[in-house]
Amino acid sequence: MKPIIQLIAAASATIAFATSAIAAEAPDALVKRISADVIETVKSDKDIQAGNRNKIMDLVNSKILPHVDAQKMTQQAAGRFWRQATPAQQQALTKEFTNLLVYTYSGALSQIKNETVEFQPMRAEAGANDVEVRSQVKVARGEPITLNYRLANGPQGWKIYDINVLGAWLVQTYTSTFASEINKGGIDGLIKKLAERNQQLASKPLKAPK
């Protein structure tokens, strides 16, 4: 076998192994790994702690979004209206909703200080493709904050498609907002509203932790 062919074969085997390993990772192990990685990164980076928008946005885009099924999340938030949208509208709506989530996550990450996360044992039937991973964020003062995740298993492995903070699921929270905006201005009206909101958030500086 020629050297170049050997190199290609070795690279292909490595990629296949890595893909298989990611797909085989348990959902609770995935969420634990992401949480630990993100929190460790924030605590070790003074720029992020100071509210550096670019670094925080990069962190969200590189370490969180790859594990989020943004289209499924958007589709569920839109509910029955999703089927009424054209492919172009679905794409635009997913883009704007994803951007909104990025700004939301970025604002939360800029506030991390000495928080720790404790995970509860996952309850799921063997072979389940839709599970909930439950955790609590321990804060210095006050009661622990509930932070649960819903994940679905697909061709690219487990992906997060909903998050519960303090008893409220993110998708359910946005469902009524989406429906209200669509009833007033249609799918395009909702897309425009989200885009305007994202522009507002982009112009505001992230607050550094006190």
Side-chain angles (χ1 to χ4, degrees), residues 8 24 27 35 50 89 94 100 111 137 173 183 197 199 203-204 208:
I8 294 174
S35 298
Q89 288 175 322
T94 300
L100 180 60
Q111 304 302 312
V137 179
T173 300
N183 285 328
R197 178 57 178 161
Q199 289 178 353
S203 64
K204 295 181 179 179

Side-chain angles (χ1 to χ4, degrees), residues 182-194:
I182 291 173
N183 285 328
K184 289 190 294 184
I187 300 293
D188 287 335
L190 173 59
I191 295 171
K192 181 181 179 181
K193 194 72 175 182
L194 290 176

Side-chain angles (χ1 to χ4, degrees), residues 34-115:
I34 297 170
S35 298
D37 191 11
V38 169
I39 291 176
E40 181 181 350
T41 301
V42 173
K43 290 183 177 180
S44 62
D45 194 313
K46 293 182 179 180
D47 289 337
I48 290 179
Q49 295 172 24
N52 185 302
R53 177 182 294 278
N54 290 334
K55 279 202 169 185
I56 295 175
M57 297 283 278
D58 287 343
L59 176 61
V60 174
N61 284 306
S62 64
K63 295 185 180 293
I64 298 178
L65 277 190
H67 305 289
V68 174
D69 190 338
Q71 180 169 316
K72 182 179 179 68
M73 189 175 285
T74 308
Q75 180 178 352
Q76 292 205 337
R80 61 185 177 84
F81 296 106
W82 180 262
R83 296 188 299 272
Q84 301 174 15
T86 66
Q89 288 175 322
Q90 291 176 351
Q91 183 177 5
L93 183 57
T94 300
K95 176 184 175 183
E96 295 300 338
F97 190 39
T98 301
N99 288 339
L100 180 60
L101 294 178
V102 170
Y103 287 122
T104 301
Y105 287 135
S106 298
L109 290 178
S110 68
Q111 304 302 312
I112 289 180
K113 295 181 182 179
N114 299 312
E115 289 79 2

